[in-house]
Amino acid sequence: MSLPQRVKLVEVGPRDGLQNERQLVPAAIKIELIERLAAAGLSAIETTSFVSSKWVPQMADNAEVLRAVLASPRRRSQVSYPVLTPNLKGFDAALEAGAQEVAIFAAASETFSQKNINCSIAESLKRFAAVLDAASALEIRVRGYVSCGVACPYEGAVDPAKTARVARQLFEMGCYEVSLGDTIGAGTPASVQRMIEACAALLPIDRLAGHYHDTYGMAIANIYASLELGMAVFDSSIAGLGGCPYAAGATGNVATEDVVYLLQGLDIETGVDMEQLLAAGQFIAGYLGREPASKAARALLARRGAGC
Ligand code: HMG
Ligand code: MG
């Protein structure tokens, strides 16, 4: 068994993490967080989403945040700052704010699609095709998501074949990468491997990413199980922030600090500096008035406090 030598992490805390916070986080804090994450060596940072502010009020400052990050002297040229766009309206707004990469998000479950974006899977794919057409004319890269790849909060277990069908459609429509979401974190290494195997039968494994929420504490095990199959791109969230507003009870993504600790222990390169990552996590957790959800972060910070 050989694991990948290098893994790319896509930091989703500023979007997937903060979208679920009840207290409104000011744009200046989001911008500072994103800049700290870039300084820590993360090469892709999902910055915000251009969705309806009636649906997700926390992302209402999307244009302000994206513009500031892109115009900042602290911007890093090698870092991408993708944003979520559910339709052409969101795409146009993202473009106006300077977006150079966007992400579209379909689901493997009909009920989740309706609850999340108010339309069927088929209708969502039509909307995304329009986004992909507009994006390709402008050479804007588009990443795709499949939510509820393992399980749906409304329909229960999801057939891996359904996830794979949607993943292939997104890939064939032009997404350069498709991120497989365990939106409610119910997956286990066995069910996550079944999902990946079904998807990898239809599109190359190096075009697949894992996006695992940690509701049941399985996300690190699920990443390891994914590495075993050759997956080498994972989404994670600083300090384990987040959840999904349309998946009640789902907690945050796997914490970036935990993933970096795992990968360092496996001698897998990430390009991320743990010290700066810990500082970024402390910054946002401190603002939110709680400890980072990351166990690795808490342990490393406690050791430091104890002077060991
Ligand atoms: P809708 O109400 O069906 O849209 O919402 P509509 O086309 O009927 O338009 C209604 C109003 O919304 C109109 O405004 C539109 O202009 C406006 P009005 O005339 O009433 O003033 N509108 C918009 N405004 C801003 N930005 C837009 C936009 N589009 C229409 N892009 C919509 C459809 C998709 C907009 C809505 O359902 C929505 O915003 N949903 C939020 C979805 C969301 O952000 N979910 C969380 C992110 S997904 C996630 O977390 C999962 C992921 O992490 C992977 C995983 O974990 O599995 C990615
Ligand atoms: Mg998510």
Side-chain angles (χ1 to χ4, degrees):
M1 180 188 73
S2 76
L3 303 180
Q5 291 180 343
R6 191 177 169 83
V7 155
K8 177 178 174 185
L9 296 179
V10 176
E11 170 60 46
V12 296
R15 191 282 302 171
D16 204 350
L18 295 182
Q19 75 182 6
N20 217 37
E21 284 298 324
R22 278 179 208 282
Q23 79 179 97
L24 228 53
V25 178
I29 297 288
K30 295 175 180 171
I31 295 160
E32 174 73 27
L33 173 64
I34 292 163
E35 290 179 343
R36 284 172 179 254
L37 292 165
L42 287 149
S43 63
I45 304 171
E46 202 169 74
T47 295
T48 184
S49 58
F50 286 81
V51 297
S52 164
S53 56
K54 286 187 199 130
W55 286 61
V56 186
Q58 186 65 258
M59 296 287 117
D61 57 5
N62 43 27
E64 181 186 354
V65 171
L66 182 60
R67 276 208 181 93
V69 164
L70 296 179
S72 166
R74 289 162 76 191
R75 175 180 176 182
R76 308 212 160 204
S77 56
Q78 69 282 18
V79 176
S80 61
Y81 300 93
V83 297
L84 288 197
T85 55
N87 51 20
L88 268 183
K89 186 178 169 87
F91 178 77
D92 288 342
L95 205 62
E96 209 180 304
Q100 285 164 1
E101 179 172 337
V102 301
I104 54 180
F105 46 111
S109 128
E110 279 299 342
T111 316
F112 187 81
S113 184
Q114 290 290 351
K115 301 271 185 195
N116 193 36
I117 50 176
N118 207 22
C119 65
S120 66
I121 298 170
E123 174 61 27
S124 77
L125 292 172
K126 275 196 216 147
R127 293 179 189 178
F128 296 142
V131 171
L132 276 153
D133 280 351
S136 89
L138 297 163
E139 293 185 9
I140 288 188
R141 282 167 29 112
V142 183
R143 190 170 196 250
Y145 281 105
V146 185
S147 287
C148 302
V150 177
C152 166
Y154 310 101
E155 295 180 15
V158 167
D159 179 356
K162 276 191 179 176
T163 307
R165 266 198 302 276
V166 178
R168 181 171 61 182
Q169 277 168 295
L170 291 176
F171 182 63
E172 284 177 347
M173 282 160 60
C175 291
Y176 73 90
E177 183 171 281
V178 179
S179 181
L180 304 174
D182 181 11
T183 314
I184 56 171
T188 61
S191 57
V192 163
Q193 284 195 338
R194 279 197 296 275
M195 168 183 73
I196 295 172
E197 277 162 353
C199 293
L202 300 184
L203 59 152
I205 184 92
D206 64 2
R207 297 310 176 102
L208 291 170
H211 176 106
Y212 307 143
H213 286 256
D214 201 24
T215 317
Y216 291 80
M218 290 292 110
I220 283 289
N222 293 341
I223 288 182
Y224 192 81
S226 309
L227 289 168
E228 284 184 322
L229 296 183
M231 185 179 264
V233 183
F234 297 98
D235 303 352
S236 64
S237 176
I238 187 70
L241 296 176
C244 174
Y246 301 101
T251 59
N253 299 86
V254 64
T256 309
E257 300 93 315
D258 290 350
V259 183
V260 170
Y261 186 80
L262 169 77
L263 297 174
Q264 280 181 345
L266 293 168
D267 276 334
I268 295 175
E269 261 179 67
T270 61
V272 177
D273 178 79
M274 181 62 103
E275 284 307 308
Q276 296 200 63
L277 192 64
L278 287 174
Q282 277 186 298
F283 167 76
I284 191 62
Y287 177 81
L288 296 170
R290 55 178 189 252
E291 280 199 67
S294 160
K295 283 194 171 173
R298 288 202 303 243
L300 291 166
L301 292 167
R303 263 181 51 178
R304 185 182 301 160
C308 5

